[in-house]
Amino acid sequence: GSDHFWHSNAYAGYGDGENDLFMAAGIRSRDGFPMSDDFDSPIGPDSENYQDTDERNNSDYRRENYLLSYNRQVTEKLNMGLFLSHQQGDYGKPPIAFDSSDPFSRNARYERTEDQRGTTLQLGGDYALNDNWGAKLWLYHNQLDETLLGFDDASYDSISENNSFRQKDETRIRGAYAQLDGLIEATGTELALSIDTRNEDYQASGILCESSGGGGGGGGGGGASGCDSPADFTSLDVDKDIDITSYAFEVTQPLAYQMTLVAGLAHHKLDKDGGSDESEQSARLLLSKALNNSTSVYGSVSRKVDAPTIRQLYEAQSGNESLGFQRANHIEAGINKHWQQADLNIALWHSKVYDFIERSEEGDRQFENRQELELKGIDISGEVRPTEKLTVRAGLGLLRARDDSSDAASSTLQYRPSHKLTLDADYRLNSHWTVSGTVIRIGEQAYFARGGSSDHRDLDSYELVSAKLSYRLAGDSGQVYVGVDNLFDEDYQTSYGFPQAGRFLYTGINLNWH
């Protein structure tokens, strides 16, 4: 692909009725992603974070992935499995490309993630107690180690200015999940009970330059004062953990007139290291009805909860130990329609969200609970197959978002697009050639000025067009393809001051052996 982009994968699998083995390895790398030729920098070449129309600054990326999955049918009733994955790599975080004197722009931060290594191990088993009842158990361990670096400037080789840092992070998540489910034949009732418990551990060590006289507005680099000796740096030393446990029960009951009722309750408990413990309840009630063989309608009411992550609570520079559960009261209604050559799904929904966890845009960008948000929208998706050769899929999402918090400077919520439209199609020219294309439109998004001001502007809406041509090799042994993303080289942003990739060309080949 463009800008020395490479992506290679290899897969191998084996199965014989009692054993299933799957292995995979992949490498993805790039020097950086290409800029749109239409990008016009609002700052001059003499600025430290100047961005030209060539390659996005500090956007290099490398990731290696390895995976092993093995399942064995030990007995007629017992199936056991092992899943192991490992990833490693490093990447840059492109800095803002606008001037910090702009009241809507943050100061530039020159940051990288190096030596990132993550490992996942999962052991599990399913056991059939009888024809109607079964039990499942999973044990898992996830670990992520990485080095985070914040440099003085775009040279990415010194740490001495205000807000620069060197930090080693280690995150471990260990847990177990157990479930019992079954069927009561006399009433057709399906029951499920589960317990999910996990421990999350976070450790961070390193140094941070916190000198006075610079770095306002959440930026890094260019401060009036710096750290000239080791004694000027602040040591980072974090060692925290949390325990999260959930108990859940769900029942699915067929009713008269082709109706189905699903009801569920759950209790969630959060034990924080050095903070107050919390507990919350979640619930769901869903009623669906089949109007005929091709049409069904449904309505649901639910209370959803989600605990803060260990990093949101204790991350060295932006964690907030006072974070609690985020909660939402959600109502949804929809219809699903199926024709012989088409499908249509429509959903209307409304959510009241309390204590939503989000990173502040000000100061040290600490995580915080937003008091009350209101989100409502309509989601429409469908697929039509007018001929055996052509398939067209489309989706439309409309969103209205408000901040109803008592301390909110404005009811507007930033970076929530008013709408999203997707359209993609595949056309099989003949037995070997297939052409496909995608169109995505993202609506306007508000963004705020620094300093907690209610003053805001809107990012322009944008459209992205992609296309791909594939050739299927003889004997279904693989395919050769060529494609282009952002075909018309659209200059767009998903966050103010952070231009995204321009036109991207790629080609590749897949080969299969059986």
Side-chain angles (χ1 to χ4, degrees):
S2 304
D3 292 83
H4 301 97
F5 173 91
W6 288 91
H7 183 198
S8 53
N9 282 312
Y11 308 92
Y14 169 82
D16 62 8
E18 291 184 351
N19 302 279
D20 287 295
L21 175 66
F22 179 77
M23 297 178 291
I27 300 177
R28 176 187 291 256
S29 68
R30 71 182 184 205
D31 291 347
F33 63 75
M35 291 290 294
S36 168
D37 290 338
D38 293 331
F39 175 75
D40 185 14
S41 176
I43 56 180
D46 56 335
S47 297
E48 185 68 46
N49 59 315
Y50 172 73
Q51 175 67 60
D52 57 22
T53 56
D54 188 12
E55 185 179 277
R56 184 70 166 101
N57 297 340
N58 196 39
S59 64
D60 61 296
Y61 175 96
R62 180 176 175 84
R63 173 69 59 83
E64 301 176 26
N65 292 285
Y66 307 94
L67 181 149
L68 170 67
S69 176
Y70 174 68
N71 286 278
R72 178 171 175 80
Q73 193 70 40
V74 182
T75 68
E76 185 178 346
K77 293 185 175 183
L78 177 62
N79 178 69
M80 300 190 67
L82 165 71
F83 177 85
L84 177 65
S85 70
H86 177 77
Q87 66 177 45
Q88 60 188 48
D90 50 71
Y91 59 92
K93 300 178 182 180
I96 195 167
F98 291 177
D99 197 329
S100 60
S101 63
D102 181 343
F104 291 86
S105 174
R106 296 197 304 267
N107 285 0
R109 303 171 69 95
Y110 304 100
E111 299 179 351
R112 294 188 58 80
T113 296
E114 303 284 358
D115 300 322
Q116 185 183 69
R117 295 176 178 271
T119 301
T120 295
L121 173 63
Q122 178 175 301
L123 296 171
D126 302 339
Y127 186 78
L129 301 173
N130 54 42
D131 291 341
N132 294 329
W133 289 84
K136 301 178 178 68
L137 174 67
W138 290 276
L139 305 174
Y140 56 88
H141 176 98
N142 301 326
Q143 180 169 332
L144 178 65
D145 301 335
E146 57 188 358
T147 299
L148 309 179
L149 300 168
F151 295 94
D152 300 334
D153 51 40
S155 64
Y156 295 94
D157 60 6
S158 63
I159 296 175
S160 62
E161 299 277 353
N162 193 38
N163 287 331
S164 60
F165 61 90
R166 179 186 295 111
Q167 178 178 327
K168 173 69 175 180
D169 280 8
E170 299 179 8
T171 306
R172 295 175 180 84
I173 302 175
R174 298 173 289 264
Y177 178 87
Q179 179 175 315
L180 175 68
D181 50 60
L183 170 68
I184 301 176
E185 288 188 348
T187 59
T189 306
E190 297 178 27
L191 301 174
L193 300 93
S194 68
I195 300 175
D196 184 3
T197 180
R198 69 181 186 272
N199 172 266
E200 299 185 14
D201 178 83
Y202 172 68
Q203 299 178 35
S205 60
I207 56 173
L208 167 66
C209 182
E210 282 188 311
S211 63
S212 60
S225 299
C227 297
D228 300 321
S229 68
D232 295 332
F233 287 91
T234 299
S235 295
L236 301 174
D237 186 11
V238 180
D239 188 354
K240 298 285 188 177
D241 75 298
I242 60 175
D243 291 296
I244 302 173
T245 304
S246 298
Y247 307 91
F249 169 75
E250 185 175 84
V251 56
T252 302
Q253 179 62 56
L255 303 175
Y257 305 107
Q258 292 186 295
M259 300 175 67
T260 301
L261 175 70
V262 180
L265 292 171
H267 177 78
H268 312 273
K269 185 179 179 182
L270 169 64
D271 294 333
K272 293 192 288 187
D273 189 350
S276 59
D277 299 340
E278 297 188 27
S279 62
E280 282 287 351
Q281 288 71 44
S282 63
R284 180 172 75 130
L285 183 65
L286 181 146
L287 184 64
S288 62
K289 175 175 172 55
L291 301 179
N292 51 49
N293 292 334
S294 62
T295 307
S296 63
V297 295
Y298 70 90
S300 69
V301 179
S302 59
R303 171 185 167 85
K304 303 178 180 182
V305 302
D306 195 13
T309 67
I310 188 72
R311 284 179 175 250
Q312 290 171 337
L313 287 165
Y314 303 115
E315 195 172 59
Q317 298 183 55
S318 56
N320 181 355
E321 292 188 19
S322 65
L323 293 176
F325 281 95
Q326 48 188 355
R327 299 162 288 124
N329 296 330
H330 184 81
I331 301 174
E332 182 172 333
I335 181 171
N336 302 312
K337 177 68 176 178
H338 171 74
W339 294 275
Q340 185 175 357
Q341 294 178 300
D343 296 283
L344 177 65
N345 306 291
I346 302 175
L348 291 81
W349 57 270
H350 178 275
S351 285
K352 275 283 190 178
V353 186
Y354 303 93
D355 298 325
F356 180 73
I357 298 173
E358 193 167 50
R359 192 190 294 269
S360 169
E361 293 293 326
E362 306 304 323
D364 57 7
R365 303 192 67 216
Q366 189 179 56
F367 288 102
E368 60 183 11
N369 284 116
R370 301 290 292 275
Q371 189 182 73
E372 182 179 346
L373 310 181
E374 182 184 46
L375 308 172
K376 62 177 75 172
I378 302 174
D379 293 326
I380 304 172
S381 62
E383 178 178 308
V384 60
R385 301 167 293 277
T387 70
E388 291 185 358
K389 294 184 176 182
L390 177 63
T391 301
V392 180
R393 293 168 291 271
L396 172 65
L398 303 176
L399 173 66
R400 181 182 177 186
R402 288 175 50 87
D403 191 340
D404 292 333
S405 305
S406 60
D407 58 349
S410 169
S411 62
T412 300
L413 281 170
Q414 66 176 352
Y415 300 126
R416 269 79 170 186
S418 58
H419 65 271
K420 179 179 180 179
L421 174 65
T422 61
L423 178 66
D424 66 88
D426 301 319
Y427 184 73
R428 186 160 47 87
L429 301 171
N430 53 42
S431 60
H432 290 284
W433 291 95
T434 300
V435 61
S436 58
T438 302
V439 179
I440 300 175
R441 174 181 169 84
I442 304 296
E444 294 180 343
Q445 305 177 62
Y447 61 93
F448 284 91
R450 292 196 307 267
S453 169
S454 61
D455 189 17
H456 64 272
R457 298 175 181 170
D458 288 332
L459 285 179
D460 291 337
S461 59
Y462 58 90
E463 297 85 28
L464 301 177
V465 179
S466 301
K468 182 178 179 181
L469 179 64
S470 304
Y471 178 81
R472 187 167 63 88
L473 302 177
D476 201 23
S477 59
Q479 66 173 197
V480 180
Y481 57 88
V482 60
V484 55
D485 293 337
N486 195 359
L487 176 63
F488 298 109
D489 201 29
E490 177 87 357
D491 176 29
Y492 70 101
Q493 306 170 63
T494 57
S495 183
Y496 183 68
F498 292 87
Q500 300 301 303
R503 183 184 294 113
F504 176 78
L505 302 172
Y506 63 92
T507 185
I509 183 171
N510 295 329
L511 298 175
N512 307 315
W513 294 271
H514 300 280

